[in-house]
Amino acid sequence: PCIAYCYFKDDDGNGDIFSMWDYSRRKVVKYDISPRGGDSTDIYRGHGSHVVGTVAGQHLLDTTVGNGDDPKEGIAPSAKIHFFDIGLGSAVNDPREAWFSSFHDSHPRKGAKIASGSWGFGYRTSYDWVCRLYDELLIDYPDVLFVSSAGNSGNKFSSPYNTVGAPASCKNVFAVGATNNVDFGSGLSYVVDFSSRGPTADGRTKPDIMAPGYALNSAASGLRDCSTPEPSYLKAGTSMAAPVVAGAGALARQFFQEGWYPCGSKGCGEPMNPSGTLIKALLANGAQPLNGVEVGGTSTLISDQPIAPYDNNQNMGAANLLTSLPLPGSNDFSLFVQNDVTIGSGETKTYNFDVDKQKCSSDFSATLSWYDPPSSNGCTKCLVNDLDLIVRNLDSSERFYSNGNSKRDSVNNLERIRISNTSFGDRYRVIVSSSMLGPGYSEQKFSLVVTGCIQSGDGDETSPPVSSEVYELVTTYSANRKQAGNMFAVKAKTEGVEVTSFAIHTQVSGRKVKLQIYTLNSSGGTNGNEDFLNDSTQWTMVTPSAGVEVDAMGFGSPTIIPVGSFVPVPIAKGVVQSFYITFVDEPEMLYKAVDNDFPTGSTYVEDDNIEITTGVGKGTNFGRNWQSRQMNGSVLYTVTTRGTTLKTTAKPSQSPTRSPTDRPTPSPTNIPTGRPISTPSVPTLPLFMELETTYSANRKQAGNMFDVFAKKTVDISSFKIHTLLTDTLPISIYTRDGSWENYDKDPSQWQLVATINAECKGYGEPTIVSSPLLTPTRITKGSTKAFYLTFEVPEMLYHYSTEHVTGTVFSEDSSLQILTGVGKAGLFGATYPTRQMNGALVYYVV
């Protein structure tokens, strides 16, 4: 803005805001100029002055705010401004890559936590450097909210869609579209036609929120005589809408900083430093749906552009502070927030609420927001860390998914659920789950906002939140049989157990498979002779009837049924609940025949909270039974009581076991009377085992050579390796009898086993090297074979340590020894000693 004009003029301070921050000034405390060029002023009736006036303009002679006597007063008139001048005449010198830090590194550290940008690069055909910079900026400064105008291209092309520009299209930026205005067209409840629409190039919904963007009256640069009332100055565009939301964000920030939360009066609560994701979630949570699209300033409805909540016209709807912040006397709802809390990989957090509508009529609304790490250029699915929001009615077990979906949203990092038909006494559980974190990430921060007629049974505004991490009890990944499914039982040893998910085991990899999950209608376990084993009418399917699609991870790796695939199954203390997990029309589930060691119905594994009993193998669709078949995989569950989290004395692992065991772990606590065991008609598989080295890496090159010594005769069936890559890449496997030593650069002394395409899983995750082309390699008892695994590019991770020099035993079990080998450049290229292969050998004893 022009700081000499009335809505920004200042009689305080020393005036040297071009070289220093001066917080004593009433309005503009710092004025920066783009290194690419700026002119330190604004043209007559300029864009910058109008925008800043909407955010925080206050006339120099106006001694009161908020009383409606000045139609040009900003949304947050008492806020102070750090301004960055990117205008040089009519040119806009936007913050390009080399100058980016000069724009954005100073204001977060100096106290400017709401950034508003009414400019843009235009629509981007892919996720690129612009969004990488802005998404990273907000990861680095999590207490900043960046508000951006969506663009004005909604009426410029044959279709209004795919027109939102950057940085509004970035994941973490709060994108604002425009509505009509009061006294123009049909008013605030209609999108104005020029407002740009989503989706983004990778399919995310944009804009995020809407605000008035037609005929806004705000500051006009050019008038220096402040004793003369300034005439109206109306402008239109999403540039005008964005500062409305930025100003609302500033007021919301003040609400938390001054302790207005939770009761709606200043100082009633503890002061809080709100994160950008909390302000974003709060405004999105209270946004209201719009009715249609109109030509700007008119009531002409564009009938071929119908709109709906969560679409690419309006998404969350129009910003509204009265439906966002509880203010006694102005609205009747309560507010519950979680500010920038951490959730780990595979973890679930739950929050319980009771509905009391005696003195309240508001909808129940919950919104989840998180700043997602930057993605790679050109990504087609750009969400890195996938969190999910689900609400469950605890009385009817009805589930509500976010953003109007009938399943989890795996695309957006702003999710909302609104339930309008709540009744007195309803009980709701809000569930935040970490469905999938990207490579290298073990945790993610998020903010949650819940509003409505929410009250706990003991009279609190909200029930004490129940925050429960997911526990996992692993059975085994040792497999020697397969069929379509497995029936087994889980017994709860404590109160508050809810089964939320499972991991299973299959040889299928590289594609999706469909699984169905059933629960027995009555309590009770499987002892092998019950009539319900073959009677589908005694079971309830908890997954969709067509099954839930999951990514099959292949032998030796957990195939995870994601949390949220079915309504969590509660099991009361002392109760036994039977489950049936089955492939849809495929006999591809691995399990273990444990026969007389663990007869059907005996406890196979337990922890402090649950027991898992040995069950029966099943043919397709409640088909034939095979006794004493132990489910491979794990049961994931929570243990909660109202307002508390139950602790276990020995917490199981939080993520599926990477290295399967080659034997059952506990002895049975109760072995029932022996009974005849059916002879299986399915093929008998060998007893697969796995010997892991390490996944600790500090070097990389193209490949690794190492020796394997056999204590028993074994067949090596597949491998696991470690890489930073997440692409599909060819890998070649060579072998030779005897050691690799003296033959590390002589390809004539090696046999090529196979070259296959490996689906690389990235850092910290095993990349499985397995294919029908990879025939098993036999090592006879007492002999040594050398292996050489290599990429065409230097992307294989391994470990260098002087404690394990080349030729020494690094890892062994009862069947094998893996010796420390060498790193290799190129194909049979340079050799680097003392390099330990990362990963594992999968084998079976002959």
Side-chain angles (χ1 to χ4, degrees):
C2 181
I3 59 175
Y5 298 143
C6 301
Y7 281 84
F8 315 106
K9 190 175 182 179
D10 219 315
D11 292 334
D12 300 324
N14 60 21
D16 190 22
I17 55 173
F18 291 92
S19 60
M20 62 178 289
W21 290 73
D22 183 0
Y23 295 99
S24 68
R25 296 176 67 86
R26 76 172 188 105
K27 193 51 58 183
V28 181
V29 300
K30 183 68 167 71
Y31 194 110
D32 280 321
I33 301 173
S34 168
R36 298 184 63 215
D39 51 20
S40 306
T41 186
D42 196 8
I43 61 173
Y44 175 65
R45 298 168 70 86
H47 180 274
S49 295
H50 193 281
V51 166
V52 178
T54 300
V55 177
Q58 183 186 3
H59 197 279
L60 179 66
L61 303 181
D62 188 2
T63 58
T64 60
V65 296
N67 61 358
D69 62 347
D70 183 358
K72 294 191 173 193
E73 186 175 87
I75 303 296
S78 296
K80 298 189 177 186
I81 297 295
H82 167 220
F83 188 78
F84 215 113
D85 191 340
I86 62 173
L88 187 59
S90 59
V92 177
N93 290 319
D94 47 55
R96 304 276 169 159
E97 284 181 282
W99 296 276
F100 186 81
S101 61
S102 68
F103 281 84
H104 292 300
D105 277 356
S106 60
H107 70 79
R109 297 195 297 267
K110 293 293 187 177
K113 305 298 186 181
I114 307 292
S116 185
S118 289
W119 59 273
F121 286 96
Y123 178 75
R124 316 295 284 187
T125 57
S126 67
Y127 186 96
D128 61 11
W129 65 268
V130 180
C131 284
R132 285 184 58 83
L133 286 173
Y134 277 92
D135 287 342
E136 181 63 43
L137 170 75
L138 295 169
I139 293 290
D140 293 340
Y141 298 106
D143 56 351
V144 171
L145 176 72
F146 191 95
V147 179
S148 177
S149 55
N152 303 322
S153 298
N155 60 0
K156 291 183 178 179
F157 307 103
S158 59
S159 169
Y161 303 105
N162 297 103
T163 54
V164 170
S169 59
C170 303
K171 292 184 292 185
N172 299 335
V173 172
F174 206 23
V176 184
T179 71
N180 252 325
N181 206 347
V182 176
D183 298 329
F184 290 88
S186 300
L188 297 170
S189 296
Y190 287 82
V191 179
V192 67
D193 63 332
F194 59 70
S195 184
S196 288
R197 329 285 170 85
T200 63
D202 63 301
R204 288 174 289 111
T205 308
K206 288 284 181 172
D208 297 302
I209 200 167
M210 311 295 289
Y214 189 88
L216 264 74
N217 190 10
S218 188
S221 55
L223 298 177
R224 296 175 180 265
D225 180 6
C226 296
S227 62
T228 302
E230 188 174 284
S232 294
Y233 176 34
L234 307 181
K235 284 182 74 68
T238 58
S239 285
M240 286 62 251
V244 173
V245 172
L251 294 178
R253 185 173 180 82
Q254 180 184 8
F255 182 90
F256 290 108
Q257 287 182 311
E258 294 183 350
W260 291 66
Y261 172 75
C263 54
S265 60
K266 185 175 180 178
C268 73
E270 292 295 323
M272 178 193 301
N273 180 35
S275 63
T277 58
L278 178 59
I279 303 302
K280 189 177 182 181
L282 182 99
L283 296 178
N285 188 72
Q288 299 300 299
L290 301 175
N291 297 330
V293 180
E294 289 184 340
V295 175
T298 77
S299 57
T300 302
L301 182 70
I302 303 178
S303 58
D304 62 353
Q305 295 180 19
I307 71 171
Y310 312 110
D311 69 3
N312 286 291
N313 296 293
Q314 62 166 322
N315 203 353
M316 299 293 167
N320 189 329
L321 283 178
L322 276 178
T323 51
S324 300
L325 295 171
L327 298 170
S330 299
N331 49 38
D332 62 4
F333 61 85
S334 298
L335 170 68
F336 171 83
V337 305
Q338 293 283 276
N339 179 34
D340 210 29
V341 300
T342 300
I343 189 169
S345 178
E347 188 179 354
T348 293
K349 293 184 181 292
T350 60
Y351 309 89
N352 292 347
F353 301 92
D354 294 340
V355 172
D356 181 0
K357 284 205 160 184
Q358 288 181 317
K359 298 180 180 179
C360 173
S361 59
S362 297
D363 294 342
F364 183 94
S365 188
T367 301
L368 171 69
S369 173
W370 71 98
Y371 283 161
D372 196 54
S375 306
S376 58
N377 288 346
C379 55
T380 56
K381 183 181 183 300
C382 296
L383 194 64
V384 174
N385 291 339
D386 185 5
L387 305 187
D388 285 301
L389 177 69
I390 297 173
V391 174
R392 177 185 167 200
N393 185 315
L394 293 178
D395 299 305
S396 68
S397 295
E398 184 179 5
R399 298 172 72 84
F400 302 87
Y401 294 93
S402 65
N403 299 345
N405 293 312
S406 57
K407 61 181 181 179
R408 299 182 305 109
D409 186 330
S410 60
V411 177
N412 299 290
N413 59 328
L414 182 63
E415 301 187 15
R416 187 181 73 189
I417 296 171
R418 183 167 290 167
I419 306 171
S420 59
N421 56 343
T422 60
S423 301
F424 178 81
D426 285 350
R427 297 181 305 140
Y428 290 97
R429 174 168 294 170
V430 176
I431 304 166
V432 178
S433 62
S434 171
S435 296
M436 184 68 68
L437 300 188
Y441 295 97
S442 60
E443 60 184 31
Q444 171 67 51
K445 290 189 174 182
F446 72 87
S447 292
L448 174 71
V449 172
V450 182
T451 56
C453 306
I454 49 178
Q455 185 177 22
S456 72
D458 56 9
D460 293 336
E461 288 193 355
T462 64
S463 61
V466 180
S467 180
S468 309
E469 62 180 316
V470 173
Y471 294 103
E472 179 186 23
L473 182 56
V474 178
T475 58
T476 180
Y477 284 89
S478 176
N480 55 14
R481 300 288 192 276
K482 74 170 183 175
Q483 246 300 338
N486 193 272
M487 286 181 180
F488 61 94
V490 177
K491 180 180 179 180
K493 300 163 65 176
T494 188
E495 298 288 359
V497 170
E498 285 194 347
V499 175
T500 58
S501 183
F502 301 94
I504 61 141
H505 194 195
T506 180
Q507 288 181 304
V508 177
S509 65
R511 65 176 174 90
K512 291 185 179 294
V513 296
K514 287 187 176 182
L515 298 170
Q516 294 170 331
I517 302 172
Y518 297 80
T519 57
L520 189 63
N521 295 338
S522 59
S523 62
T526 52
N527 289 321
N529 54 4
E530 298 85 358
D531 60 358
F532 62 68
L533 295 178
N534 301 314
D535 184 0
S536 62
T537 64
Q538 298 191 50
W539 296 79
T540 297
M541 188 186 300
V542 295
T543 52
S545 58
V548 57
E549 281 195 340
V550 300
D551 292 313
M553 302 308 294
F555 179 79
S557 293
T559 290
I560 299 171
I561 301 169
V563 173
S565 297
F566 60 91
V567 176
V569 178
I571 310 176
K573 181 178 180 181
V575 171
V576 178
Q577 175 66 60
S578 290
F579 293 87
Y580 174 30
I581 306 177
T582 183
F583 277 75
V584 177
D585 299 327
E586 288 188 282
E588 291 295 347
M589 183 174 290
L590 294 176
Y591 45 69
K592 184 176 182 179
V594 291
D595 300 331
N596 288 326
D597 291 334
F598 294 91
T600 304
S602 61
T603 299
Y604 185 86
V605 66
E606 64 181 310
D607 61 14
D608 289 347
N609 303 315
I610 66 171
E611 299 175 5
I612 302 174
T613 63
T614 298
V616 296
K618 294 292 295 180
T620 57
N621 194 25
F622 290 90
R624 181 177 173 178
N625 305 314
W626 288 271
Q627 302 292 336
S628 303
R629 298 299 187 258
Q630 180 54 51
M631 166 253 194
N632 269 208
S634 62
V635 175
L636 291 91
Y637 67 95
T638 59
V639 181
T640 58
T641 58
R642 192 162 186 79
T644 63
T645 301
L646 226 62
K647 302 295 183 182
T648 59
T649 55
K651 189 178 83 172
S653 62
Q654 292 186 0
S655 57
T657 303
R658 173 178 288 151
S659 304
T661 177
D662 62 356
R663 58 187 178 278
T665 41
S667 299
T669 58
N670 178 31
I671 301 179
T673 304
R675 62 183 61 81
I677 298 171
S678 303
T679 301
S681 60
V682 294
T684 299
L685 299 178
L687 181 62
F688 290 99
M689 301 184 191
E690 179 176 327
L691 180 57
E692 182 180 296
T693 57
T694 180
Y695 285 88
S696 173
N698 55 14
R699 298 287 192 279
K700 73 172 183 174
Q701 248 302 336
N704 192 272
M705 281 182 183
F706 56 94
D707 290 340
V708 179
F709 174 77
K711 301 178 184 179
K712 302 175 183 177
T713 299
V714 300
D715 280 352
I716 308 296
S717 64
S718 60
F719 303 86
K720 293 182 180 179
I721 62 165
H722 195 195
T723 178
L724 293 170
L725 298 178
T726 56
D727 302 321
T728 299
L729 203 67
I731 184 170
S732 296
I733 303 97
Y734 295 83
T735 188
R736 72 177 308 277
D737 292 331
S739 175
W740 60 267
E741 292 192 64
N742 302 319
Y743 304 102
D744 51 306
K745 296 183 180 179
D746 186 357
S748 68
Q749 299 297 312
W750 293 79
Q751 176 189 354
L752 176 64
V753 181
T755 298
I756 64 176
N757 288 323
E759 294 184 8
C760 301
K761 300 300 182 182
Y763 182 78
E765 296 293 330
T767 290
I768 298 171
V769 180
S770 179
S771 167
L773 299 174
L774 186 60
T775 56
T777 300
R778 178 158 297 182
I779 314 177
T780 57
K781 180 181 178 180
S783 63
T784 296
K785 265 192 183 290
F787 291 90
Y788 174 29
L789 280 67
T790 183
F791 287 126
E792 296 174 350
V793 292
E795 291 295 344
M796 185 175 292
L797 295 176
Y798 42 67
H799 185 73
Y800 167 78
S801 171
T802 56
E803 296 179 7
H804 295 278
V805 298
T806 298
T808 59
V809 176
F810 185 89
S811 184
E812 66 178 312
D813 59 14
S814 61
S815 303
L816 291 179
Q817 292 178 340
I818 300 177
L819 282 62
T820 298
V822 293
K824 294 293 293 179
L827 184 61
F828 292 96
T831 300
Y832 303 90
T834 314
R835 301 295 194 265
Q836 179 54 51
M837 165 254 193
N838 268 209
L841 270 64
V842 180
Y843 69 95
Y844 52 89
V845 177
V846 178

